[in-house]
Amino acid sequence: MERGIILKRFGGFFYVYSNGKVYECVCRGKNRLLYDDIYPGDLVEFIPGEEKSIDKGVIEKLLPRSNLLIRPAVANVSQVICVVALKYPNPNLFLLDRLLVNAEYYSLKAVISLNKKDLASEEMINEIINIYQNLGYKVLITSAKTGEGIDELKNELKDNLTVFAGQSGVGKSSLLNAIVPGLKSKVGEVSKKLKTGRHTTKHVEIIKLPQGGFVADTPGFSRLDLPEMYPEELGDCFPEIRKFKADCKFTSCLHNNEPECSVKAALEQGLINEHRYDNYLKLLEEVMERERCR
């Protein structure tokens, strides 16, 4: 029996990485009902076999997972790289804050990559850095074009299972190809060997990185739905709100219209960034609307 990580699932098969090999696996008959419960990133125990040029195997057990992101689904993620373009498209800090809420909710490490540095002014870069570094987030300045920040990004990926998230056009694919030169052709060669087609946006594929660690290759992490949460939980996903909320008059304070709210007091004193607070209110309305529709 060996242990491995699910790289992808396709047409009833699971592709499991273990000790430098990729095995095409199926679930044992008694476990077939587990098919819809196994996702890329999951850890499994399997019995290896071999048939012709493709290593085969049978999955015997799904191991406990630390988390499961959905739409698209990937398990056991340890960190998210939030990619923000400094130009083309212009920075979308509302989407960034949405991604950071997901990271906080799932207890993931979040690293912010300010990409396309070669197209931006120092003033714009410093403004964004000041907002998020003061909250405790690591911010990297990157450029797939010039190679700036790529080595730092590689170091962050080591020993993690990472998802790259950000709106279309911010340079996620370019960064991945800068990290692993020839990535697209290498993935294509694996798919050809296993006689599978390239995945669509509905599929997630986990890629083993040369320096160690794994990354989820999917265009689907462009938005990420908010987790299923109560309105009272949202504030805990904003470090600056978490810092001040203990002094609110009401323990159920939503930091919106309630009296004697220490979060709003901190906002008035300039201790909380106004744009971040506005984004909190927009997300709060989304959470409350979803709760009303239940």
Side-chain angles (χ1 to χ4, degrees):
M1 191 93 71
E2 293 189 18
R3 289 192 176 193
I5 180 173
I6 303 289
L7 298 183
K8 65 178 178 179
R9 58 187 215 176
F10 188 91
F13 294 99
F14 298 90
Y15 298 93
V16 181
Y17 175 85
S18 178
N19 297 319
K21 286 186 178 182
V22 177
Y23 295 83
E24 184 182 76
C25 296
V26 295
C27 288
R28 186 172 293 284
K30 63 181 180 181
N31 292 330
R32 280 180 184 159
L33 292 177
L34 289 175
Y35 177 81
D36 288 332
D37 295 326
I38 301 178
Y39 297 95
D42 269 325
L43 301 176
V44 296
E45 290 183 347
F46 69 102
I47 298 175
E50 189 170 324
E51 181 180 325
K52 297 181 180 179
S53 62
I54 301 176
D55 294 303
K56 297 281 188 175
V58 177
I59 294 174
E60 292 286 338
K61 184 178 181 181
L62 172 64
L63 299 176
R65 62 170 68 106
S66 58
N67 56 51
L68 175 65
L69 302 185
I70 56 175
R71 290 187 296 275
V74 57
N76 296 314
V77 175
S78 58
Q79 73 173 354
V80 56
I81 304 293
C82 302
V83 184
V84 178
L86 293 163
K87 197 81 170 177
Y88 307 121
N90 290 328
N92 185 337
L93 299 188
F94 177 64
L95 174 58
L96 173 58
D97 289 340
R98 172 188 288 275
L99 298 176
L100 292 174
V101 164
N102 273 273
E104 294 281 351
Y105 184 85
Y106 289 109
S107 300
L108 306 179
K109 178 183 177 183
V111 177
I112 300 170
S113 166
L114 299 182
N115 197 33
K116 304 186 182 181
K117 189 257 186 181
D118 50 298
L119 302 176
S121 67
E122 290 296 328
E123 181 180 0
M124 175 191 287
I125 294 172
N126 290 332
E127 183 179 345
I128 298 175
I129 288 176
N130 288 338
I131 294 173
Y132 291 96
Q133 276 191 345
N134 288 338
L135 298 174
Y137 295 112
K138 185 159 191 175
V139 182
L140 300 180
I141 311 301
T142 59
S143 171
K145 181 177 180 180
T146 67
E148 182 170 349
I150 298 302
D151 286 340
E152 290 179 87
L153 194 51
K154 286 181 179 179
N155 289 334
E156 292 298 325
L157 299 179
K158 189 176 181 181
D159 301 325
N160 282 292
L161 197 169
T162 303
V163 296
F164 276 65
Q167 71 187 110
S168 298
V170 296
K172 301 187 295 293
S173 295
S174 296
L175 287 175
L176 280 171
N177 279 285
I179 292 165
V180 187
L183 173 64
K184 288 186 177 179
S185 62
K186 289 180 181 178
V187 172
E189 288 168 7
V190 172
S191 295
K192 184 177 179 181
K193 177 184 176 184
L194 297 175
K195 296 182 174 60
T196 67
R198 188 74 174 95
H199 64 73
T200 68
T201 55
K202 294 182 179 180
H203 294 82
V204 177
E205 184 165 352
I206 305 296
I207 297 166
K208 178 75 171 69
L209 298 174
Q211 70 270 25
F214 297 86
V215 65
D217 175 32
T218 172
F221 291 105
S222 59
R223 185 176 183 272
L224 284 185
D225 291 335
L226 287 177
E228 293 289 338
M229 62 168 66
Y230 294 105
E232 295 82 3
E233 295 179 282
L234 180 61
D236 287 329
C237 297
F238 281 74
E240 62 274 56
I241 292 178
R242 202 163 57 223
K243 178 179 178 180
F244 292 105
K245 74 169 202 168
D247 294 326
C248 290
K249 180 177 181 180
F250 302 105
T251 55
S252 60
C253 185
L254 296 180
H255 324 298
N256 186 7
N257 298 315
E258 298 86 349
E260 299 184 44
C261 171
S262 61
V263 171
K264 288 191 293 183
L267 176 69
E268 292 170 1
Q269 296 169 39
L271 301 176
I272 291 178
N273 179 271
E274 288 186 20
H275 294 298
R276 281 272 296 175
Y277 178 74
D278 289 343
N279 288 344
Y280 162 77
L281 293 181
K282 291 176 186 176
L283 294 172
L284 178 64
E285 179 57 34
E286 185 176 328
V287 172
M288 294 175 69
E289 178 62 27
R290 190 167 62 186
E291 189 174 59
R292 285 192 288 267
C293 294
R294 286 176 182 170

